[in-house]
Each structure stands twice: as structure tokens, then as C-alpha cells.
């Protein structure tokens, strides 16, 4: 009985424990899982994020000239699996948690990005370009040969590879 | 004295989740009880069979808010058992940390509600305020106050750098002081004791007969804890004791929960010191063969079992879980009979029922 009175007095002296938000600042730790940002220049179009997304919030659409990425924040659960499986960190969760919006804006709560397709240097077929970020993850440093290979489609790369093997045999 | 029937629930001011009790009463006394469940069935088991293994990590985390980490971690354990994946040692410790952080917050939540039900609202607020330290820890380390999203197949998604380890350690030191104070309050405060001592008694024989688990079993003197009986993650390398009480009443269950929270804090600190350096997750995508597997863990409410059957595709053929509340709520029949009508909410709360897990 008496012991609790002590706690009451202590809590009274300490003052309110709540943050004065929205009139003042509130606690936002580093690494809070908030609004998702997509960096099209780092995307390699592996679509792993779309595959792991539990809410079905991520969708890719591919046309002849581009690969379009869309993420609906209203379907997103902010679990961060997409970020975890994105090797090139094209998709990241930011600390921005200000996501309240009016009903009429609900379809505008999206994150979009477009990856333009590039022609293969060999056959000219359009393909998703290999992002610089992926090159950094895969090779510590690149040289001219690797740089040429990255601009080829998988088929042309294979052909070039076989030629290389044949040269070695000779 | 004439007997009459009264309905309690499914919507009731003192019940946290919807559940319907048809109570047979004689005067002030409960003489019979019938429980009807099914008010928050959402079809999640069926949903899990339409989604791939990765998506189900996030789905199982959303079964329940208070033990939200136990579900995905046990689910991942089932997958890892099936595919014979050995997770990195650091990941094992990190899984323990996530589980124990959730345990402290969950147990404090239940003990706070006890204060609210007995009309001791300043105690309720004080315990909730202490729990707020754990909420801030979760938000700082994992990025969310409830759903940690700590697990992935083959390890964990987060890591503790030096700065965060230090922060975690400091917060646990803060918790220790508060938890000791709260435990002493529950043991000694006359208001708490008057309303909870000798109320809702579950004898050891009945506890065994109903096969109750978790703090409900341990409050009735049954020394059963999955972390000790069949250790998973890093529990075999950690030093801790199973907390038990012999009274079997509401207060004993609350004491077990509070002592487990104190012990969880020590476990977290042990993990921070003992954790080896290294990777936190396997670096190749897992290959899950066809087959079946079981995994179990000690959730804040007791033993949680996952059963998984796969057919070689990346969608489970069957995913089923047995949650602790399933056995615990049946034992209410033994606890409530002979007690007063005014104690129904208090006794129901003392088993810490998780209806949303049980009915999914």
C-alpha cells in the first residue's frame, strides 16, 4: 500500500511520459520501418521483392521499352522482406512514417519507378540493363571484358563464352 | 437457492478479445460453464496454403500481436527442420533475444490488465509505462513496436552492432530495477493480494488432466518449459531456471509471468555477452524438399507447435499450428466453478488467452 504511494509520487514528479506530438517532436529511431523508396537505377528486375511480398503490394509490368515497378503503401505491411532479399538495395524502407492521407488520395499512396530496357550490343534485343550496383556486389572491380559482357543478352554472352572456350582448346 | 444462466461476452468490457461464456450461477457462485469460440476466425490456415514460404513469414507474424515473434520463428524452424538447414550461431542468439523481448512485453501486458480488472488502475498504468521501455527497445532495434519482422528462412534479418548492443544492455539494466519493484508490489500489496489470492485455483491434478501449458501450468506446480525440455535456438547454451509456483491461483500465475520477465531480461543480457560474431543468415535461397516437419517453441503463453507438410513446390501443402490457449481455455471450467461471478473476467485474464491465435 505504502510502497505504491511512493511510486505514485515519483511518477507525479517525473511528469508526463507521453510525447507532445503533434504539437512537438516525437521519438523516431534510426531504422524505423516506414515509407518504401525504390531506386530504379539499382534494380536488376529479378522480381524477388514481388515474390516475397505477403500483401501483394508490389507489381512489375514489362513493356517493350521499360520495366515498371509499383508499390501500394496501403497494401504494404512494412515487414521489410523485400529489402532483405534485394541484393542491390534498390528497394529500401525509410524512416518516414507520415503516411496518413485522405480517402481520395488512397490510390496515390504509391512508390513507382521505371527501368528503361537497353539493347543488347550483340543482337539488339531489348533487355534489362545490368545495374552498376549488381556489378559491385558480384565483382570487386570490373575490367573492359566484363563491362562488354554486361551489355550483352544472356544468349550472346553464352555464344561469346563458347568462343572463348574454343580458343583455349586450340 | 435457484440457479440461473448468464451470458458473459462475446463483447464484454473486461475481456480483451471476443469469447462467449454461458455461465450457470447459483447466487453469486459459478456452478457450470460452457465456452463458445469462433468469433475471430479469419481463415488464416487456409490463406497460408495459398501463399509461398516467404509470404507466410509475414502472414504468421500477423496472427497475434503479443506473441507475434513466436509464430514466424517457429514456422521458420519447421522449414529449417524440413530442409536440414543449420542456421548460423549468431542467428540463434538473435532469435532468443527477439523472443525474450516479446516475452517481457507480453507478460507485463497481462499483469497490467490484471491491475485494471481489479480496479487498481494506477498499477495498470505504472506497469504499462514500464512496458513502454520494451516497446521503445523493439522500435529502435527492429523498427516496429509490435511486429518485429526479425525472422527469415535460415536466420534473422537484423543484427546488433556495438551501439545497439550497448543500448539494449542499458535498457535491460533499467528494466531490472522496474521489474523488481513491480514483482514486490504484486507479492506484497494488500489490494492485489485480496483480489487474487486463492481465486481461480487450478489444482496440479486438474492442470495435468487439462494438459495446460505455459505460465498456467507452471503456476500450478508443473515444471514444463519447452526451452528447457527440448531446447531450440541457443537455449541449450544459456543459463536459466524454469519458474514455478504451487498455489495455482490468479496471483501465482501473475508471479510466474513476472519472474519470467525478470529472467528474460537476464537471458537477453547473457545473449548480448555470449553471442559470437559471424553471419546472421544463410546466404543462398533455401531449397525446401517435399516432406513434413514439426517445430515447437515456448511462446509467452506456453508451448507452440507448428506442423508443416510440403509437396516440393514453394507453397505449403498444409500448415497447422497448435497454440497454448487451446488447452488453457478448457481449464477455465475447473478454475471458474466455485468462484464468484465478479471474478470471471479476472480468472479469464489469468490464463492470458489469445483468441486470435487460437481461432486464426
Amino acid at each position: 500500500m505504502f510502497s505504491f504511494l511512493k511510486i505514485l509520487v515519483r511518477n507525479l514528479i517525473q511528469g508526463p511520459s507521453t510525447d507532445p506530438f503533434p504539437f512537438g517532436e516525437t521519438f523516431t529511431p534510426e531504422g524505423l520501418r516506414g515509407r518504401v523508396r525504390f531506386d530504379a537505377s539499382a534494380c536488376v528486375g529479378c522480381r524477388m521483392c514481388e515474390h516475397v511480398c505477403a500483401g501483394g503490394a508490389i507489381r512489375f509490368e514489362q513493356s517493350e521499352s521499360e520495366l515498371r515497378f509499383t508499390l501500394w503503401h496501403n497494401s504494404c505491411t512494412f515487414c521489410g522482406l523485400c529489402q532483405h532479399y534485394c541484393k542491390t538495395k534498390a528497394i529500401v524502407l525509410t524512416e518516414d512514417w507520415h503516411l496518413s492521407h485522405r480517402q481520395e488520395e488512397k490510390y496515390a499512396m504509391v512508390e513507382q519507378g521505371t527501368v528503361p530496357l537497353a539493347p543488347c550490343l550483340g543482337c539488339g534485343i531489348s533487355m534489362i540493363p545490368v545495374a552498376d550496383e549488381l556489378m559491385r556486389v558480384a565483382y570487386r572491380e570490373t575490367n573492359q571484358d566484363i563491362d562488354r559482357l554486361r551489355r550483352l543478352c544472356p544468349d550472346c554472352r553464352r555464344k561469346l563464352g563458347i568462343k572463348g572456350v574454343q580458343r583455349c582448346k586450340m | 437457492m435457484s440457479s440461473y444462466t448468464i451470458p458473459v461476452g462475446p463483447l464484454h468490457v473486461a475481456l480483451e478479445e471476443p469469447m462467449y461464456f454461458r455461465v450457470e450461477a447459483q447466487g453469486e457462485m459459478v456452478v457450470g460453464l460452457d465456452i463458445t469460440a469462433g468469433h475471430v476466425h479469419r481463415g488464416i490456415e487456409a490463406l497460408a496454403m495459398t501463399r509461398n514460404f516467404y509470404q507466410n513469414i509475414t502472414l504468421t507474424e500477423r496472427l497475434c500481436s503479443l506473441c507475434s515473434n513466436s509464430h514466424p520463428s517457429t514456422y521458420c524452424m519447421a522449414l529449417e527442420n524440413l530442409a536440414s538447414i543449420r542456421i548460423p550461431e549468431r542467428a540463434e542468439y538473435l532469435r532468443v533475444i527477439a523472443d525474450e523481448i516479446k516475452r517481457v512485453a507480453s507478460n507485463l501486458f497481462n499483469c497490467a490488465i490484471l491491475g485494471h480488472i481489479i480496479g487498481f488502475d494506477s498499477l495498470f498504468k505504472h506497469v504499462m509505462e514500464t512496458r513502454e521501455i520494451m516497446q521503445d527497445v523493439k522500435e529502435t532495434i527492429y523498427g516496429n513496436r509490435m511486429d518485429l519482422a526479425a525472422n527469415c528462412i535460415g536466420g534473422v534479418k537484423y543484427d546488433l552492432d556495438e551501439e545497439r548492443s550497448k543500448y539494449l544492455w542499458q535498457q535491460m539494466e533499467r528494466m531490472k530495477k522496474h521489474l523488481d519493484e513491480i514483482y514486490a508490489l504484486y507479492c506484497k500489496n494488500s489490494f492485489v493480494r485480496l483480489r487474487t489470492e486463492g481465486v481461480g485455483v487450478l489444482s496440479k491434478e486438474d492442470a495435468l488432466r487439462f494438459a495446460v501449458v505455459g505460465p498456467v501450468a507452471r503456476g500450478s506446480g508443473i515444471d514444463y518449459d519447452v526451452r528447457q525440455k527440448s531446447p531450440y535456438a541457443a537455449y541449450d547454451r544459456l543459463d536459466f531456471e524454469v519458474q514455478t509456483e504451487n498455489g495455482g491461483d490468479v496471483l501465482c500465475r501473475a508471479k510466474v509471468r513476472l519472474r519470467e520477465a525478470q529472467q528474460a531480461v537476464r537471458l537477453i543480457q547473457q545473449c548480448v555477452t555470449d553471442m559470437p560474431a559471424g553471419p546472421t543468415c544463410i546466404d543462398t535461397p533455401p531449397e525446401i524438399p517435399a516432406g513434413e516437419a514439426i517445430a515447437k517453441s515456448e511462446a509467452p503463453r506456453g508451448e507452440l507447435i507448428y506442423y508443416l507438410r510440403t509437396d516440393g513446390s514453394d507453397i505449403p501443402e498444409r500448415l497447422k499450428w497448435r497454440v497454448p490457449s487451446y488447452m488453457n481455455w478448457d481449464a477455465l471450467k475447473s478454475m471458474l466453478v466455485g468462484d464468484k461471478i465478479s471474478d470471471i473476467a479476472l480468472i479469464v485474464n489469468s490464463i492470458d488467452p489469445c483468441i486470435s491465435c487460437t481461432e486464426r
Side-chain angles (χ1 to χ4, degrees):
Chain A
M1 171 72 206
F2 210 71
S3 53
F4 199 76
L5 278 178
K6 233 169 65 189
I7 293 173
L8 272 184
V9 171
R10 196 180 67 208
N11 284 351
L12 202 67
I13 294 167
Q14 268 176 8
S17 301
T18 45
D19 289 343
F21 192 78
F23 305 107
E25 271 309 299
T26 184
F27 170 65
T28 305
E30 204 181 304
L32 185 93
R33 302 199 307 271
R35 188 189 292 273
V36 183
R37 282 276 169 257
F38 175 71
D39 175 9
S41 66
C43 179
V44 296
C46 70
R47 300 195 180 191
M48 190 59 179
C49 52
E50 188 185 30
H51 184 68
V52 301
C53 182
I58 296 173
R59 198 161 78 196
F60 279 97
E61 286 159 307
Q62 190 165 352
S63 69
E64 276 174 20
S65 60
E66 61 187 27
L67 179 70
R68 274 182 78 77
F69 167 94
T70 311
L71 177 140
W72 276 267
H73 277 111
N74 280 333
S75 302
C76 177
T77 61
F78 303 95
C79 67
L81 269 184
C82 51
Q83 175 180 272
H84 178 74
Y85 284 107
C86 185
K87 290 286 175 207
T88 57
K89 295 289 164 254
I91 187 163
V92 286
L93 273 68
T94 66
E95 283 140 25
D96 175 14
W97 49 270
H98 298 280
L99 289 155
S100 58
H101 57 276
R102 290 175 178 278
Q103 170 74 359
E104 58 257 38
E105 291 160 18
K106 67 177 175 185
Y107 296 118
M109 291 299 292
V110 290
E111 174 70 11
Q112 281 180 313
T114 309
V115 185
L117 302 188
C120 161
L121 281 187
C123 62
I125 195 172
S126 47
M127 60 170 215
I128 298 163
V130 178
D132 291 341
E133 208 47 51
L134 183 65
M135 299 304 283
R136 270 195 286 274
V137 175
Y139 308 99
R140 242 173 260 148
E141 49 190 301
T142 56
N143 56 29
Q144 260 185 333
D145 284 344
I146 293 176
D147 216 48
R148 185 176 150 69
L149 280 170
R150 74 185 270 203
R151 288 170 216 288
L152 296 174
C153 71
D155 279 342
C156 291
R157 231 178 294 156
R158 227 169 280 139
K159 278 179 202 157
L160 199 73
I162 288 169
K163 268 184 208 158
V165 173
Q166 283 170 342
R167 250 203 320 272
C168 290
K169 277 183 182 167
M170 279 190 264
Chain B
M1 214 185 309
S2 64
S3 68
Y4 52 97
T5 312
I6 50 167
V8 176
L11 294 173
H12 187 273
V13 281
L15 297 181
E16 297 305 313
E17 283 182 279
M19 202 160 176
Y20 174 59
F21 300 97
R22 201 163 147 268
V23 179
E24 291 286 330
Q26 226 164 41
E28 274 285 294
M29 288 293 184
V30 177
V31 290
L33 178 73
D34 197 29
I35 304 172
T36 309
H39 304 279
V40 279
H41 175 68
R42 290 151 291 160
I44 295 185
E45 265 187 31
L47 201 58
M49 290 185 274
T50 64
R51 301 189 173 210
N52 65 43
F53 296 134
Y54 300 103
Q55 292 173 313
N56 279 329
I57 303 172
T58 307
L59 181 67
T60 50
E61 185 146 24
R62 274 143 189 84
L63 276 170
C64 158
S65 59
L66 287 166
C67 38
S68 64
N69 189 66
S70 299
H71 285 280
S73 73
T74 318
Y75 162 70
C76 287
M77 267 157 55
L79 275 170
E80 288 148 12
N81 288 347
L82 184 60
S84 308
I85 295 170
R86 179 94 211 259
I87 69 169
E89 203 182 349
R90 189 175 175 84
E92 292 184 325
Y93 281 90
L94 288 168
R95 275 198 183 162
V96 172
I97 292 176
D99 253 3
E100 296 302 323
I101 286 178
K102 287 294 287 187
R103 192 183 314 279
V104 179
S106 176
N107 286 3
L108 283 183
F109 186 82
N110 179 259
C111 293
I113 299 290
L114 181 150
H116 172 63
I117 292 174
I118 63 172
F120 198 165
D121 272 314
S122 30
L123 176 68
F124 162 69
K125 291 207 172 150
H126 178 68
V127 178
M128 285 304 266
E129 194 183 335
T130 308
R131 176 177 176 266
E132 206 57 26
I133 300 174
M134 296 313 287
Q135 299 301 92
D136 283 348
V137 166
K138 288 189 239 173
E139 201 173 13
T140 307
I141 293 176
Y142 305 94
N144 191 291
R145 284 165 55 89
M146 289 312 282
D147 291 327
L148 307 185
N151 294 283
C152 64
I153 306 165
V156 289
K157 275 160 56 186
Y158 78 106
D159 201 1
L160 288 176
D161 53 19
E162 208 167 305
E163 198 186 330
R164 284 192 177 160
S165 299
K166 208 173 132 197
Y167 167 81
L168 183 59
W169 184 276
Q170 283 166 349
Q171 298 304 308
M172 290 306 114
E173 284 298 317
R174 255 178 92 191
M175 280 305 286
K176 269 185 190 169
K177 258 185 267 163
H178 285 292
L179 284 173
D180 291 348
E181 193 177 62
I182 289 172
Y183 183 67
L185 264 175
Y186 277 78
C187 292
K188 289 186 197 135
N189 190 285
S190 52
F191 294 150
V192 177
R193 287 182 59 179
L194 273 170
R195 280 298 306 273
T196 55
E197 235 169 355
V199 173
V201 176
L202 179 72
S203 64
K204 191 171 179 179
E205 295 74 55
D206 275 354
L208 286 168
R209 194 159 60 86
F210 284 106
V212 293
V213 287
V216 179
R218 293 193 284 274
S220 291
I222 298 171
D223 178 8
Y224 182 82
D225 190 316
V226 181
R227 293 174 292 171
Q228 195 79 270
K229 292 280 174 196
S230 58
Y232 54 97
Y235 285 110
D236 54 343
R237 277 146 279 163
L238 297 168
D239 178 32
F240 67 101
E241 275 166 23
V242 179
Q243 305 295 328
T244 54
E245 281 282 333
N246 292 318
D249 57 5
V250 172
L251 186 61
C252 285
R253 292 191 271 278
K255 277 165 137 180
V256 168
R257 286 198 185 95
L258 286 171
R259 283 216 303 275
E260 278 178 10
Q262 288 174 310
Q263 184 183 259
V265 167
R266 290 194 294 272
L267 277 171
I268 293 166
Q269 289 194 321
Q270 272 186 51
C271 285
V272 172
T273 18
D274 297 356
M275 196 162 52
T280 56
C281 183
I282 55 167
D283 53 3
T284 47
E287 273 179 45
I288 312 291
E292 48 183 3
I294 275 181
K296 60 178 179 174
S297 69
E298 184 74 24
R301 284 157 192 74
E303 185 184 51
L304 173 68
I305 303 178
Y306 262 73
Y307 167 76
L308 171 73
R309 192 169 73 226
T310 56
D311 56 5
S313 72
D314 67 348
I315 294 173
E317 198 177 31
R318 183 81 173 97
L319 182 63
K320 184 182 164 52
W321 45 99
R322 193 189 72 171
V323 300
S325 296
Y326 185 66
M327 280 80 70
N328 292 351
W329 76 20
D330 220 27
L332 282 174
K333 287 173 187 156
S334 165
M335 293 180 210
L336 282 169
V337 172
D339 274 89
K340 286 190 190 143
I341 290 172
S342 53
D343 286 334
I344 291 177
L346 179 64
I347 298 170
V348 171
N349 176 70
S350 79
I351 67 160
D352 202 0
C354 185
I355 316 292
S356 60
C357 286
T358 319
E359 294 179 351
R360 52 264 189 175

